Amino acid sequence: MSHGITRKWITTNLLLLVLLLAGAEILFVSSQTQSYYNAVRQAIHNRYSSIAGQLQVTGNSETEATDTSQARALFLRSMVEQFDAKDRFELMLLRSGGQVLASSSGRIAGISVPEDYRLALESDNGRGESVYYSTAGEKVMAVTYLVPYAAGDIQAIRLVTSLTLVDAQLTRLFQVSVGVCAAILLFSVISGLFFVRGIVVPLGEVEASTRRIARGELDARIEQEYEGEIGRLCESINHMAEELGRSEQMKNEFISSVSHELRTPLTSIKGWMETLSRLPPDDPHYQKGMEIITSETQRLYDMVEELLDFSRMQNGVKLQCERLDLVAEVSDAALMIEARIAGQGLHLSYEEPELPLPVWADRNRLRQVFVNVLDNAVKYSPPDGTIFIDLLQDGESAFVEIRDQGRGITPEDLENVKQKFFKGKNSVRGSGIGLAVVDEIVRALDGEVNIASTVGVGTTVTIRLPMLGAAGPVPQSRPPG
Ligand code: ADP
């Protein structure tokens, strides 16, 4: 992973920077070369302009045209001999055909017809330029100007200057700019590596920790504290590990409490079976034993049903909804639990409302909701306590309120009672999935479960369901029309 980021950074950022710098370098060097060569060109031209200016004046006072022409030729020849800028330029005179007539350097022989002379002949302004390496291996710029006036046998003036100094300067400039580019590149590499390290190192730690968590070491945490996004990622992973640990612990507690719950009726069944095997069928205890075995078996069956149901519900609650009267459903549930309430010396306060409360719901699931909540109310009620059931309508919602006078739930537990496998500190028995199932079903019916409780006073569970026919969110399972 870490190699991936580094490689990606090199191939994208670094490569792009190298390309950009190379482009800038090429542009810079070529523009500098251009401007330096232009300056040389200008110096040559200035020199030529001054010669041409003097040439124009020469012979103007003469009357004969041939004399004027000769005078100019003479002037040019003397100029070549006394040329005062020999150290910078070489001044040459060319005759028609390109042969050198005279040169300020004194060298005439061996010079072939120069390229710039040919170009001057071809050009419109009588000027030709060439850059080449002289026989001495020196790079030079040569410009030939065709003399605009008749000057004896002289057809052109040629000025040659060395480019060695200019090129040396350009080379220095090139070296400095390459140095600057290298410094920029080095700085980017160092700062980039710092940046990449700032991601790669924490990511490595995150990777190691998540591997440990995946292996089941749920107490693994990322200890180092980082800032920004990486810090938040580490926090999320630590939180995830914490939650995983919590759910693992809850799962273990769930398994142990379920096993315990299953063992109680099994112990009783086993005990009675042993007793019955020694008793004749007409013994008065025989019948009682059979009844207990039957009721304990039923309890086991119900418990296993509840567990199976819960496990099925983990893949989403499947509902078979129909139009129901909430009043009738609550009355049925009350009737079912009434015997248990009376059996435990409790009282039930329920007044059936006269008007129906139509809802769109699954009958069996709804019954499961009421039975679970009422079962808790019975479980946690003190002897002689009363369980109140109220039905209310408010706007587009119907409310079922189940209130007990039991021991209540502490505020810390109240936050978690709807979570699966959660059992409060006050829990007497159960697997911790009752309210989780209630919440899941009611939410699937577009409703809501609210639990209010005061320790020592009692608990009120309020179930809100949308009423049928009222405007509002249409449950997915509602039939068309
Ligand atoms: P269980 O199946 O163990 O009863 P529930 O999900 O129904 O699990 O309830 C979770 C926890 O909420 C219980 O362990 C208990 O601590 C608390 N609780 C639920 N209903 C009541 C109530 N009516 N009075 C007091 N505590 C309750």
Side-chain angles (χ1 to χ4, degrees):
M1 172 182 64
S2 50
H3 285 133
I5 289 183
T6 314
R7 194 177 314 129
K8 212 168 187 163
W9 173 71
I10 288 175
T11 50
T12 53
N13 281 30
L14 213 54
L15 211 66
L16 201 72
L17 186 67
V18 168
L19 285 178
L20 264 174
L21 284 177
E25 180 68 23
I26 290 169
L27 265 177
F28 175 74
V29 169
S30 67
S31 79
Q32 285 301 311
T33 309
Q34 198 80 101
S35 94
Y36 270 69
Y37 278 27
N38 271 344
V40 173
R41 210 165 276 134
Q42 191 58 46
I44 292 177
H45 193 72
N46 288 348
R47 194 49 48 180
Y48 164 74
S49 297
S50 113
I51 297 172
Q54 290 177 55
L55 200 62
Q56 191 188 14
V57 183
T58 309
N60 262 1
S61 53
E62 306 292 330
T63 44
E64 289 278 330
T66 43
D67 289 347
T68 309
S69 169
Q70 283 310 319
R72 283 184 182 136
L74 272 176
F75 167 76
L76 282 175
R77 279 181 185 276
S78 71
M79 177 133 228
V80 168
E81 271 158 36
Q82 295 152 30
F83 191 52
D84 55 357
K86 277 190 189 141
D87 53 335
R88 287 190 287 142
F89 304 100
E90 184 181 355
L91 177 62
M92 292 175 173
L93 302 175
L94 308 182
R95 74 147 161 253
S96 168
Q99 286 88 358
V100 181
L101 281 174
S103 163
S104 61
S105 70
R107 288 182 285 113
I108 297 175
I111 301 178
S112 53
V113 180
E115 168 76 6
D116 39 288
Y117 170 76
R118 250 186 357 88
L119 289 172
L121 284 183
E122 283 166 13
S123 79
D124 297 333
N125 57 4
R127 181 182 173 280
E129 178 193 314
S130 67
V131 172
Y132 61 94
Y133 285 91
S134 69
T135 41
E138 191 182 20
K139 195 178 179 190
V140 295
M141 181 186 279
V143 185
T144 296
Y145 297 92
L146 298 182
V147 182
Y149 321 102
D153 54 352
I154 299 170
Q155 193 197 11
I157 296 174
R158 186 172 190 243
L159 279 157
V160 183
T161 189
S162 165
L163 291 174
T164 310
L165 274 178
V166 169
D167 276 357
Q169 210 145 354
L170 278 172
T171 308
R172 250 198 316 280
L173 212 64
F174 176 70
Q175 283 163 348
V176 169
S177 62
V178 166
V180 169
C181 285
I184 293 175
L185 206 62
L186 191 73
F187 177 76
S188 316
V189 167
I190 291 172
S191 72
L193 280 180
F194 254 104
F195 176 71
V196 170
R197 258 180 67 83
I199 296 175
V200 166
V201 171
L203 274 192
E205 204 177 326
V206 166
E207 195 185 10
S209 300
T210 45
R211 271 184 205 281
R212 285 177 59 198
I213 294 170
R215 274 202 305 269
E217 294 175 44
L218 297 181
D219 54 349
R221 296 285 181 275
I222 303 166
E223 304 292 348
Q224 192 77 31
E225 283 187 13
Y226 296 102
E227 282 178 358
E229 289 87 344
I230 301 263
R232 286 203 292 280
L233 175 69
C234 294
E235 265 172 39
S236 309
I237 288 174
N238 282 345
H239 182 65
M240 182 191 76
E242 229 165 77
E243 288 295 316
L244 277 176
R246 225 159 65 91
S247 93
E248 181 73 13
Q249 189 195 344
M250 267 159 86
K251 197 179 78 189
N252 291 341
E253 281 172 11
F254 170 72
I255 292 172
S256 91
S257 76
V258 166
S259 316
H260 190 79
E261 291 286 315
L262 292 176
R263 204 175 56 183
T264 318
L266 278 176
T267 314
S268 149
I269 291 171
K270 187 167 167 262
W272 274 105
M273 292 290 266
E274 282 164 6
T275 315
L276 291 192
S277 66
R278 287 194 298 272
L279 289 179
D282 52 353
D283 191 282
H285 284 104
Y286 195 92
Q287 199 50 39
K288 194 178 168 231
M290 282 306 260
E291 273 166 23
I292 290 178
I293 288 174
T294 310
S295 82
E296 291 294 69
T297 312
Q298 185 60 43
R299 204 171 122 197
L300 269 179
Y301 183 86
D302 289 347
M303 229 151 43
V304 172
E305 257 318 286
E306 186 190 38
L307 289 174
L308 278 177
D309 212 39
F310 172 74
S311 120
R312 264 184 243 122
M313 217 177 270
Q314 294 313 293
N315 305 322
V317 188
K318 289 181 190 64
L319 298 170
Q320 283 186 326
C321 290
E322 57 188 314
R323 190 192 175 92
L324 295 176
D325 176 16
L326 193 62
V327 177
E329 297 310 314
V330 172
S331 300
D332 276 0
L335 207 66
M336 275 172 64
I337 202 100
E338 214 171 8
R340 258 191 71 197
I341 290 178
Q344 299 203 7
L346 302 173
H347 311 283
L348 176 68
S349 153
Y350 171 54
E351 258 180 57
E352 195 181 273
E354 274 165 27
L355 287 178
L357 290 172
V359 290
W360 184 253
D362 180 317
R363 172 169 278 132
N364 291 328
R365 294 295 183 196
L366 212 51
R367 183 158 302 166
Q368 204 177 354
V369 167
F370 299 138
V371 166
N372 277 359
V373 177
L374 283 168
D375 188 57
N376 278 345
V378 172
K379 246 182 352 193
Y380 297 103
S381 279
D384 207 34
T386 306
I387 294 167
F388 302 85
I389 305 178
D390 284 306
L391 273 163
L392 305 158
Q393 182 194 344
D394 183 14
E396 293 154 2
S397 297
F399 294 88
V400 182
E401 221 179 66
I402 298 172
R403 181 157 62 91
D404 62 53
Q405 297 171 319
R407 59 184 78 179
I409 307 167
T410 62
E412 310 90 71
D413 282 356
L414 197 56
E415 287 174 22
N416 301 316
V417 285
K418 283 195 263 180
Q419 280 186 26
K420 54 189 171 197
F421 311 141
F422 181 85
K423 289 174 74 173
K425 287 191 272 298
N426 61 356
S427 173
V428 285
R429 60 176 170 78
S431 49
I433 55 176
L435 287 178
V437 167
V438 166
D439 191 51
E440 209 137 331
I441 295 174
V442 174
R443 275 193 295 133
L445 290 170
D446 277 338
E448 189 179 13
V449 180
N450 264 306
I451 305 172
S453 187
T454 312
V455 175
V457 177
T459 305
T460 308
V461 179
T462 311
I463 296 149
R464 181 186 69 75
L465 286 172
M467 282 191 40
L468 195 58
V474 178
Q476 277 177 350
S477 45
R478 186 176 290 192

